[in-house]
Amino acid sequence: MIERASIDLGEVLQDITVPDLSLALADLQSAKVRDRQTDLFVEKRRKGWDKSMEARCDFTPRQSLRHRAGLYFLSLWQKSLYGRTLTDIKGDDAMVPYFATEMGNMLQELLGEQLSKGDWCIITTPKRRHMVKNFATRIAEQIGQRLRIPFYEDVCSCHSKQRLNAVFTVNLVPREQNIICYDDFVTTGSTLQSMKQALAPYGKNILMVSSINNKL
């Protein structure tokens, strides 16, 4: 029988040097934090430019009376899952006469002979970013031409970019008793509500209308 010599593991372990992994672990942790921060940054940036998530409209007629932000307004179209994005719509000059024609037809059918009595006009909500003639202003102007009623530009102005609880300043008051207040897209209804509050002291009859109800 062969006798096997025993090995003193204590002496062997003493000769083994264990590397210091603290720095490596710290670097690994820092890398994970940097990766998470980079991913979050990329995700936020991607969402900001992802037009596939933007509201759309397929222009299927869905005339409706809505109540929002304490007022009623009429709309012709409804936000949809498919169709053109609102940014694309606003950037297309050909959409201005299209909107004006369709909105003009709806208002003509709704108001009928009342329009011919000469006591109607059309206005729009204040300009925000486009200070010359924005999308809604150009449409409202053409609606007025189609309906043969006066269009008043810049009836109200707003000195802040916020939508909620915005305070509008009245620049001029139309002489007509009946006012069509037009907005291209309505989401919360706060802009129309601010228009209503600004013109309330003047005792006018105001019909709030919108092309697209931007809320499902």
Side-chain angles (χ1 to χ4, degrees):
M1 178 179 294
I2 301 174
E3 294 184 2
R4 297 182 178 178
S6 61
I7 300 176
D8 187 353
L9 294 179
E11 295 179 357
V12 175
L13 292 176
Q14 288 178 358
D15 294 335
I16 298 176
T17 301
V18 180
D20 185 1
L21 299 178
S22 60
L23 294 178
L25 291 174
D27 290 342
L28 180 61
Q29 185 66 23
S30 298
K32 289 182 178 180
V33 172
R34 287 195 302 271
D35 288 343
R36 287 199 298 269
Q37 291 174 342
T38 301
D39 288 343
L40 287 174
F41 177 77
V42 171
E43 183 69 14
K44 289 180 180 178
R45 185 175 181 180
R46 185 191 67 80
K47 285 185 178 180
W49 289 95
D50 187 1
K51 298 304 181 184
S52 65
M53 303 300 293
E54 190 181 354
R56 295 173 178 270
C57 181
D58 60 8
F59 295 105
T60 300
R62 296 187 180 92
Q63 297 92 338
S64 62
L65 177 64
R66 302 282 178 167
H67 186 265
R68 198 168 301 152
L71 56 79
Y72 287 94
F73 68 93
L74 294 171
S75 62
L76 175 55
W77 298 300
Q78 170 74 46
K79 172 183 175 180
S80 58
L81 297 177
Y82 304 99
R84 299 183 66 179
T85 65
L86 302 191
T87 298
D88 183 37
I89 292 168
K90 282 196 171 188
D92 185 355
D93 287 340
M95 297 303 293
V96 173
Y98 176 72
F99 271 55
T101 299
E102 296 301 317
M103 290 298 301
N105 290 342
M106 183 183 78
L107 291 168
Q108 181 70 59
E109 183 176 354
L110 175 68
L111 300 174
E113 295 181 357
Q114 293 297 321
L115 287 170
S116 63
K117 294 183 179 181
D119 203 27
W120 286 85
C121 69
I122 185 168
I123 65 174
T124 188
T125 55
K127 302 180 181 71
R128 301 273 186 162
R129 292 172 294 180
H130 307 286
M131 299 307 294
V132 183
K133 282 192 177 180
N134 63 4
F135 191 65
T137 300
R138 295 162 63 196
I139 294 170
E141 184 176 33
Q142 291 193 22
I143 292 175
Q145 293 171 357
R146 293 186 61 83
L147 299 181
R148 297 181 180 179
I149 61 176
F151 164 65
Y152 293 94
E153 188 173 357
D154 296 328
V155 167
C156 292
S157 60
C158 182
H159 303 288
S160 67
K161 293 184 178 180
Q162 65 179 2
R163 298 286 180 178
L164 298 176
N165 301 318
V167 178
F168 293 170
T169 300
V170 178
N171 300 319
L172 62 94
V173 179
R175 64 175 182 80
E176 289 78 12
Q177 180 62 28
N178 303 304
I179 300 174
I180 300 170
C181 182
Y182 171 78
D183 203 357
D184 46 11
F185 311 138
V186 171
T187 303
T188 64
S190 59
T191 300
L192 292 179
Q193 175 64 14
S194 295
M195 290 291 292
K196 177 182 178 181
Q197 292 174 348
L199 294 171
Y202 302 97
K204 303 292 185 177
N205 300 319
I206 304 176
L207 174 62
M208 301 291 186
V209 298
S210 169
S211 289
I212 299 177
N213 172 34
N214 189 24
K215 191 173 182 180
L216 291 175

